[in-house]
Amino acid sequence: MTTFENPTPSTGPTASPFGAELTRRALDLAVANTTDMAESTLRVPLSYYRDDKIAEYERNQLLRETPLPLLASAQIPKNHDYVVRTVLDDSLLITRDRDGQAHVFLNYCRHRGAMPACGAGNSRRFTCPYHAWVYDNKGQLRGIPGKAGFDDVNRDEYGLVELPSEERHGFIWGVLNADAPMDLDTHLGECGAELARWNYQDYQYHDERSLNSAVSWKGALEAFAEGYHFPFVHGNSVIGQNTIANTHVYDEFGPHHRIGFPFNWVRDLEGMQQDESWNDPTAQMGIIYWVYPNLILANSPVGVEVIDILPGDSATSCVVRHSWMAKYPAESPEQVEMYAGIFAQVHAAVRDEDFAMLPQCGEGVRRGQHDHMAIGRNEIGVQHMIRVMAEKIGISLT
């Protein structure tokens, strides 16, 4: 396997507390017309993106033994709510039982394997369409038509297979391997406290769109880790018009990171006396988290974009789920309409700008005859993603 001698990796700046210090760092960078940077450029072999054996390992092992954010809590806010979701080709039934506890099940009947649930809604029972076996929202088998044919079957042993899961920080996290351990504390580390501050569990779920793209899932995630491309890809949209290009405040939390992309008006703070308004960095920058391995949380003053990206059926394809949640629940039709407009705008930027460009990157990775690409010092977040993932999949960068 190709290896490259890269300098000792930078761990990034010491993470600033979420408050006035973060605002100050953004202002200083904006005024100086610079950004947080890595120590050097990073050379990355194309195999990192295009090797099908690596992609197979990611799909079938790495991502099946790592806690994944499977659903926002706000999507099943009430007891007996449920959603069926496909993740890495597995059909998952995610429920909230009568006691308010969330569960994640493989959505396959224990009789002949058909899917007892579909779509989303509110239900206490799910009936398999093939032979009408009935399960409750705790996964327990409740009914077998023609039960005389199964009189030696213990129903308690034939419930839906439940996956390890935990609900925290406004998301239902799960491990796709039923026999794998689930340790969310270790997985999130210091990033857990960062997520807790947002109170995503109190947000209102609004809408969701999905798309497939001909680019590596890792390359797609990297689009949300730098502002270098803003004026070229987003020049005609709110991202390019409101945000300072190639300037960001960068912090790491173990394998995860936080990036603040300052708005143009942060420069208005220059020379002003620091007051309580500085304590809310979201007024001065868009704050984006990468939660390893596949979650992007793009925060604004009024809500959060939730973007999860997973591999498609080849090394250079991916599946993207893009949703939006409101920080302040809508209380009128007018507010609902306003939120619909916000999501339409941000989704258009993702769909028609980022994912109009990214397939070209996928083509370059598939067809390229150069042996590596260079990631800039100004792309410190991208470098961090690559270093974390390369270590997990066994590609040597040093």
Side-chain angles (χ1 to χ4, degrees), residues 1-4 6 42-59 62-63 215-223 225 255 257 290 292-294 309 311 314-317 361-362 364-366 368 370-375 379-398:
M1 183 174 292
T2 303
T3 63
F4 294 97
N6 282 299
L42 177 70
R43 291 178 292 177
V44 186
L46 292 192
S47 60
Y48 172 80
Y49 298 102
R50 72 184 183 189
D51 189 312
D52 281 325
K53 290 183 179 178
I54 292 173
E56 182 179 1
Y57 170 75
E58 291 167 350
R59 283 182 57 93
L62 178 66
L63 291 170
V215 63
S216 161
W217 72 287
K218 293 172 293 193
L221 283 164
E222 292 165 10
H257 69 217
W290 174 50
Y292 167 81
N294 72 310
I309 303 176
S314 72
T316 53
S317 67
C361 301
V365 165
R366 282 188 297 275
H370 49 297
D371 64 352
H372 73 276
M373 58 180 63
I375 308 300
E379 299 174 285
I380 186 172
V382 176
Q383 288 200 20
H384 176 239
M385 286 178 155
I386 292 168
R387 292 187 190 280
V388 169
M389 290 300 304
E391 180 181 1
K392 299 291 185 182
I393 61 182
I395 286 186
S396 177
L397 299 175
T398 57

Side-chain angles (χ1 to χ4, degrees), residues 13-63:
T14 301
S16 292
F18 192 91
E21 184 179 337
L22 197 60
T23 302
R24 168 58 65 184
R25 283 176 58 198
L27 173 61
D28 290 346
L29 290 169
V31 170
N33 194 30
T34 187
T35 187
D36 283 338
M37 291 196 187
E39 293 180 357
S40 64
T41 57
L42 177 70
R43 291 178 292 177
V44 186
L46 292 192
S47 60
Y48 172 80
Y49 298 102
R50 72 184 183 189
D51 189 312
D52 281 325
K53 290 183 179 178
I54 292 173
E56 182 179 1
Y57 170 75
E58 291 167 350
R59 283 182 57 93
N60 296 329
Q61 289 182 254
L62 178 66
L63 291 170

Side-chain angles (χ1 to χ4, degrees), residues 66-209:
T66 303
L68 301 179
L70 301 175
L71 194 75
S73 299
Q75 290 188 250
I76 51 171
K78 300 175 182 177
N79 293 353
H80 309 301
D81 281 352
Y82 74 93
V83 168
V84 173
R85 168 154 288 180
T86 300
V87 178
L88 292 176
D89 296 330
D90 285 346
S91 181
L92 305 181
L93 169 59
I94 305 173
T95 70
R96 193 175 298 284
D97 66 26
R98 66 181 182 183
D99 300 315
Q101 182 174 346
H103 302 268
V104 179
F105 304 104
L106 289 174
N107 184 33
Y108 304 116
C109 179
R110 293 291 303 280
H111 175 218
R112 300 280 289 280
M115 300 178 186
C118 62
N122 186 280
S123 181
R124 292 172 170 80
R125 296 285 190 273
F126 304 97
T127 302
C128 176
Y130 196 5
H131 297 93
W133 282 33
V134 179
Y135 300 88
D136 66 17
N137 55 22
K138 291 187 177 183
Q140 296 173 330
L141 178 60
R142 292 300 188 184
I144 303 177
K147 60 183 179 180
F150 298 87
D151 57 7
D152 57 350
V153 168
N154 182 349
R155 291 187 188 181
D156 293 339
E157 297 175 356
Y158 283 84
L160 297 176
V161 174
E162 185 164 9
L163 300 179
S165 67
E166 184 173 344
E167 185 169 17
R168 202 186 307 180
H169 308 313
F171 293 91
I172 297 162
W173 310 77
V175 177
L176 296 181
N177 182 344
D179 297 321
M182 173 75 172
D183 187 348
L184 195 57
D185 284 328
T186 298
H187 175 67
L188 293 178
E190 294 179 4
C191 192
E194 278 288 305
L195 297 180
R197 74 171 61 257
W198 294 91
N199 296 313
Y200 291 129
Q201 67 275 7
D202 297 328
Y203 281 38
Q204 182 185 61
Y205 173 77
H206 179 74
D207 203 354
E208 177 179 296
R209 296 286 185 272

